[in-house]
Amino acid sequence: METKYTKNAGGECGDCNLCGNCGSLDCPEGKNMYTMIIYSENFAGILNQITAVFTRRQVNIESLNVCASSTPGVHKYTITCFCNEEMAMMLTKQIEKKIDVLQANYFTDDQIFILEACLLKVNTNMMLNNKDVGRIVRIHGARIVEVNPTYSIIEKKGITADILSLFHQLDKLGVVLQFVRSGRIAVTKSCIEQLDRYLEERESQR
Amino acid sequence: MMERISGAEAMMRSLEHEGVEVLFGYPGGAIIPTYDALYDHKETLNHILVRHEQGAIHAAQGYARVSGKVGCAIVTSGPGAMNTISGIADAMVDSTPMVVICGQVGAAMLGTDAFQEVDVIGVTQPISKWAFQIRRSEDIAWAVSRAFYIARSGRPGPVVLDFTKNAQTGLVDFEPQKVNFIRSYKPAPVPEDSVIEKAARLINNSVKPFVLVGQGVELGNAQEELREFLEKAQLPAARTLLGLSALPSDHPLNMGMLGMHGNLGPNMMTNQCDLLIAIGMRFDDRVTGNLNTYAKQAKIIHFDIDPSEINKNVRVNLAVVGDCKQTLPAVTRLLDKTTHQAWIDGFKPYAEKEDNKVIHPAIYPTEGPLLMGEVVRKVSEATEHKAILVTDVGQNQMFACRYFKYSQNRSIVTSGGCGTMGFGLPAAMGATFGAPDRTVCMFCGDGGLQMTIQELGTIMEQQAPVKIILLNNDYLGNVRQWQYMFYNKRYSFTPMVNPDFELIARGYRIPCRTVVERADLEGAIQEMLSTEGPFLLQCAVKAEDDVLPMIPPGSNIDEMLLEVK
């Protein structure tokens, strides 16, 4: 799926619903979305150090996910932001400079598998009275996970564009009570596991 | 053999294990247990009681810069720690190895706004190489060893250890540790052979090469390696402010100083060379001026130990990332023996022009009030150019750095990246402990001296032989110069009403003398140098003198002003 997050010159939203014109995401001209994947030791305070690098360089973090990685004792940070490649390079270098950061790399969307999730709370009455709601849910492959007389909950996993498309279409019908989207998680498409390689190399130098 | 001791005692033994000899510090509530342990280690750990924590941190910087060892400061929690902040930030940007130990409230009280509790880790993380809170006595040996390893290895920098009171008082089975490997931290990357070969090829093919020498050469102890590199291929070089003593002033390939108030030739030739070879410097804006016109005609090679410096400000054609102590000789071996005489001769007309228009009038005036430049050169001559120069910040710094001469390594201590006024006096005091056999001359202005003037007390108590040369013009001179040049001579809060500095010096029982007349200058300098211990030499200099030449901020480096209109 093409996900170039640049503004359309004609002032019209592209089908991705992600350009700045639809107001859904801030996507400054000439910038692309980069996903930073960072690994660190499991010490307190590293997230602060990482986000401080973005703040100093005046780059907004669009989404952030932190969790333990598949390697014991190593934490993984998945951060998205809009910037140019030069900035992405500087950010990752300055993050990697932090003593307890193992690796910091940046990726474009074609280099990684991406997943995000969202929850939508909608008005049950309005949902039942509007056939379009069910149609939109089916088109987007979303699931209704709770129905009670007052509200219903819709859940969707996917990429940013599909999730935002679901939200915007439902929002136009006026049924949405709450919407929340998770931070992006991503794994690389590369056949080489860079972190494992790095750790092996470092252990051999110990 | 393990022994059960208090955390404070473990800290003392860990410091001794790291080879610490001098500590600059100031006690307070949250660090009392550590000071209690220190009482039994006075023979091995020479603690210098400063008069303000900012004095401790700058003294540790001065100590580290001249000795190459890790400077060490110890202060209490809250305000004590906060008073060290400007020095930590200064050491970070100027790559000075330092360990700062701050007291902290007990771990149980963290986060409760306890008395003298400040989030020191939160504050210092962005301005230190590593900041760690020791909350358990068991972590002391590891944390101290790791701190010193991080501070001194790779690109050096300050490390903060926030030492909670319970960790100081708790008992621990102590065994010293030696950290010399951290898997997430590669202090000195090693470049591929192909990179070394490419660098040599670029240099061998260059007709007009020009080398920029930074402090990295001194930090890497590669002064000798630099000389061999320059001499083999006869490469002309210029130094940054912090790299001034990496190459002797009188070396035939030394073309002078770079930057805003550097020499004319090096700045002009940066935009004429065909190959720029930057070694251990970071293309600060004070060196580059307008980046859009900086060395656009040249290929650029950047030698640096810190990968995050590569392409940060200036895009380079080749990066040699590694320790210049290793990378320089590796490249030197592949260099052709050659001369670049015509190119080197090209620097001469600029040097002559600057000499006639700026230097000669600044250091050999025959009439009018004393000038800062002439005082600096006279002091440099009287010490046979062998002294350590410490400066404060401002005009005194620029005149001192321009007109002092350097013949020995590690001879310049100045606040470069941060430009911290008040740095000079405590840094000079620290330098006398780091290099006890050398003369330490500290130049400052009337503004900067008063920012940390309380350290005269430390200097008095220690009889630290700091030769203080106060260039007094009753102005915050550097800002006044900018106001004159760029703000229509509107001297907004730059004139200063000053105290009687001689009286102050006498209050601290520091010998002093004031010079107003040119004829008295040499005699006064002789008196200062022949007096044992500290001395304050006050020079009443021209009130409105300007540092020249100058690249106005943001201008192109080949548009240097030789006079103020």
Side-chain angles (χ1 to χ4, degrees):
Chain A
M1 176 125 194
E2 173 67 33
T3 38
K4 268 275 185 195
Y5 303 119
T6 46
K7 246 177 199 167
N8 290 328
E12 290 223 345
C13 284
D15 55 6
C16 68
N17 281 333
L18 278 172
C19 74
N21 296 335
C22 62
S24 61
L25 267 183
D26 180 28
C27 46
E29 203 119 15
K31 296 183 178 178
N32 290 323
M33 176 165 273
Y34 285 95
T35 302
M36 320 281 183
I37 297 181
I38 301 154
Y39 293 99
S40 84
E41 300 290 2
N42 182 17
F43 289 157
I46 296 180
L47 179 61
N48 259 346
Q49 296 182 56
I50 292 172
T51 55
V53 173
F54 286 84
T55 312
R56 249 189 111 184
R57 286 285 185 162
Q58 304 170 71
V59 176
N60 271 345
I61 290 174
E62 298 295 327
S63 79
L64 168 73
N65 176 279
V66 188
C67 62
S69 76
S70 57
T71 309
V74 173
H75 262 55
K76 176 171 176 170
Y77 306 70
T78 311
I79 301 175
T80 61
C81 65
F82 288 105
C83 60
N84 57 34
E85 184 169 7
E86 211 174 340
M87 180 61 81
M89 199 187 299
M90 273 328 302
L91 286 168
T92 44
K93 272 197 214 174
Q94 288 182 328
I95 291 166
E96 206 167 78
K97 188 173 168 176
K98 305 292 171 196
I99 299 290
D100 296 309
V101 171
L102 290 152
Q103 272 199 324
N105 290 301
Y106 64 92
F107 300 91
T108 49
D109 287 0
D110 55 337
Q111 297 169 313
I112 46 179
F113 287 103
I114 296 163
L115 188 68
E116 286 170 21
C118 83
L119 291 172
L120 281 145
K121 184 176 177 182
V122 297
N123 182 309
T124 301
N125 264 340
M126 290 171 82
M127 177 175 80
L128 296 175
N129 292 333
N130 192 333
K131 291 198 300 267
D132 284 344
V133 174
R135 188 179 58 81
I136 292 167
V137 168
R138 280 194 300 281
I139 291 173
H140 284 88
R143 297 197 307 148
I144 298 175
V145 292
E146 163 79 13
V147 181
N148 66 40
T150 320
Y151 64 81
S152 301
I153 306 289
I154 301 168
E155 168 202 285
K156 162 139 185 76
K157 291 192 286 263
I159 59 169
T160 324
D162 294 348
I163 287 172
L164 287 177
S165 164
L166 171 69
F167 166 67
H168 284 301
Q169 293 190 30
L170 290 178
D171 196 38
K172 272 182 204 159
L173 304 179
V175 297
V176 178
L177 300 171
Q178 287 183 36
F179 168 66
V180 64
R181 181 162 63 94
S182 75
R184 168 177 290 190
I185 55 172
V187 291
T188 60
K189 287 183 183 173
S190 164
C191 297
I192 298 161
E193 295 314 316
Q194 288 188 349
L195 177 69
D196 293 348
R197 189 174 273 197
Y198 174 87
L199 290 176
E200 270 167 35
E201 180 205 322
R202 291 300 287 152
E203 286 308 320
S204 72
Q205 292 162 347
R206 189 185 279 272
Chain B
M1 173 57 193
M2 288 220 234
E3 195 186 340
R4 204 154 174 81
I5 56 174
S6 75
E9 174 66 20
M11 174 60 79
M12 294 302 111
R13 295 195 194 177
S14 297
L15 293 177
E16 286 171 355
H17 187 68
E18 287 299 328
V20 174
E21 291 163 352
V22 185
L23 289 164
F24 301 92
Y26 204 99
I31 196 80
I32 290 177
T34 301
Y35 267 83
D36 187 61
L38 180 60
Y39 201 66
D40 294 327
H41 291 260
K42 286 193 289 191
E43 295 300 312
T44 44
L45 297 169
N46 183 15
H47 177 273
I48 311 301
L49 176 68
V50 295
R51 296 301 183 265
H52 183 283
E53 289 89 350
Q54 191 184 352
I57 199 87
H58 292 326
Q61 287 179 273
Y63 174 88
R65 292 270 281 271
V66 300
S67 68
K69 297 177 192 162
V70 178
C72 204
I74 179 162
V75 298
T76 192
S77 67
M82 290 305 103
N83 283 340
T84 65
I85 297 301
S86 39
I88 296 171
D90 194 296
M92 185 67 177
V93 71
D94 283 353
S95 313
T96 308
M98 237 168 33
V99 171
V100 186
I101 299 157
C102 313
Q104 180 58 284
V105 301
M109 293 169 86
L110 285 167
T112 65
D113 297 330
F115 178 64
Q116 293 193 329
E117 185 204 354
V118 167
D119 179 7
V120 171
I121 297 296
V123 172
T124 57
Q125 245 176 3
I127 54 165
S128 63
K129 197 171 170 189
W130 188 52
F132 183 75
Q133 191 168 57
I134 306 177
R135 281 186 292 257
R136 307 181 316 151
S137 313
E138 292 81 357
D139 294 337
I140 293 168
W142 169 82
V144 172
S145 183
R146 199 176 199 254
F148 276 83
Y149 171 61
I150 290 170
R152 71 162 75 93
S153 60
R155 180 179 179 176
V159 172
V160 176
L161 292 176
D162 197 29
F163 195 16
T164 64
K165 206 161 179 179
N166 63 296
Q168 299 174 45
T169 52
L171 293 178
V172 60
D173 293 323
F174 179 75
E175 196 176 23
Q177 288 200 24
K178 195 78 214 163
V179 173
N180 52 19
F181 177 87
I182 298 171
R183 68 175 181 175
S184 57
Y185 168 59
K186 282 187 192 169
V190 179
E192 308 269 329
D193 290 346
S194 63
V195 172
I196 299 289
E197 285 157 20
K198 254 186 224 162
R201 208 176 313 133
L202 278 169
I203 298 169
N204 286 336
N205 289 337
S206 163
V207 182
K208 299 187 284 184
F210 185 35
V211 181
L212 314 180
V213 177
Q215 190 197 197
V217 172
E218 296 237 59
L219 294 171
N221 291 317
Q223 299 92 342
E224 206 44 55
E225 287 78 1
L226 171 76
R227 249 164 281 175
E228 284 163 15
F229 170 78
L230 298 177
E231 285 164 9
K232 184 165 180 193
Q234 289 294 298
L235 307 167
R239 307 141 305 155
T240 66
L241 187 72
L242 296 187
L244 280 173
S245 60
L247 185 66
S249 302
D250 290 332
H251 191 283
L253 290 167
N254 188 345
M255 299 297 143
M257 180 168 111
L258 295 161
M260 180 177 270
H261 292 298
N263 294 114
L264 182 62
N267 283 319
M268 299 296 289
M269 296 303 248
T270 300
N271 276 7
Q272 293 174 38
C273 65
D274 64 6
L275 179 68
L276 203 58
I277 307 155
I279 306 170
M281 55 86 76
R282 58 188 178 85
F283 294 105
D284 182 82
D285 55 89
R286 288 295 191 266
V287 161
T288 64
N290 181 4
L291 280 172
N292 296 323
T293 57
Y294 182 79
K296 287 293 173 199
Q297 79 296 340
K299 289 202 167 115
I300 303 178
I301 308 178
H302 193 178
F303 289 75
D304 208 291
I305 200 163
D306 178 358
S308 78
E309 286 300 340
I310 307 300
N311 292 329
K312 186 182 79 177
N313 295 337
V314 172
R315 301 285 292 183
V316 301
N317 300 82
L318 182 69
V320 186
V321 182
D323 181 348
C324 59
K325 181 104 182 156
Q326 266 86 50
T327 55
L328 277 178
V331 173
T332 304
R333 272 192 288 280
L334 304 177
L335 290 185
D336 298 336
K337 266 197 166 182
T338 174
T339 60
H340 296 96
Q341 204 49 51
W343 165 239
I344 291 171
D345 288 344
F347 285 79
K348 276 183 195 154
Y350 293 116
E352 280 163 18
K353 190 172 173 189
E354 186 184 348
D355 201 42
N356 291 333
K357 283 215 139 190
V358 179
I359 298 175
H360 204 270
I363 59 177
Y364 303 117
T366 49
E367 51 184 20
L370 278 177
L371 298 182
M372 297 194 216
E374 69 175 316
V375 177
V376 170
R377 180 53 65 88
K378 282 271 185 316
V379 172
S380 186
E381 282 167 358
T383 58
E384 294 170 327
H385 312 304
K386 287 179 184 158
I388 289 172
L389 170 68
V390 184
T391 81
D392 206 77
V393 167
Q395 287 188 320
N396 64 85
Q397 175 186 34
M398 290 299 120
F399 277 117
C401 291
R402 279 181 61 82
Y403 297 124
F404 212 78
K405 288 184 154 193
Y406 314 89
S407 63
Q408 297 185 20
N409 298 336
R410 291 189 178 273
S411 293
I412 169 90
V413 181
T414 190
S415 170
C418 254
T420 308
M421 275 177 76
F423 173 86
L425 189 65
M429 181 265 289
T432 62
F433 290 93
D437 300 331
R438 298 184 63 188
T439 304
V440 175
C441 295
M442 196 282 287
F443 288 85
C444 63
D446 41 299
L449 178 61
Q450 291 182 77
M451 282 201 174
T452 47
I453 199 163
Q454 76 286 343
E455 295 312 320
L456 288 174
T458 316
I459 289 169
M460 167 190 69
E461 182 183 341
Q462 301 294 333
Q463 281 300 298
V466 181
K467 308 303 179 190
I468 305 161
I469 301 108
L470 167 60
L471 303 170
N472 189 349
N473 55 8
D474 291 330
Y475 267 115
L476 297 173
N478 212 30
V479 177
R480 186 212 55 76
Q481 179 177 344
W482 284 47
Q483 288 171 337
Y484 182 87
M485 294 174 74
F486 313 120
Y487 292 87
N488 204 20
K489 212 183 164 190
R490 285 154 56 88
Y491 291 168
S492 183
F493 299 96
T494 40
M496 269 207 147
V497 177
N498 279 320
D500 182 336
F501 288 106
E502 274 203 56
L503 206 56
I504 289 174
R506 271 203 289 278
Y508 283 104
R509 300 195 283 280
I510 292 172
C512 56
R513 182 166 166 183
T514 296
V515 179
V516 181
E517 299 298 330
R518 181 157 292 118
D520 300 332
L521 182 60
E522 275 182 42
I525 291 171
Q526 280 313 326
E527 186 188 337
M528 171 180 79
L529 294 174
S530 58
T531 303
E532 237 177 87
F535 194 97
L536 176 83
L537 175 63
Q538 174 173 228
C539 299
V541 295
K542 184 180 169 188
E544 298 191 30
D545 197 2
D546 298 308
V547 186
L548 288 168
M550 179 178 192
I551 305 165
S555 298
N556 306 332
I557 53 161
D558 50 7
E559 293 172 354
M560 259 198 132
L561 304 178
L562 290 175
E563 58 195 340
V564 177
K565 297 224 167 61

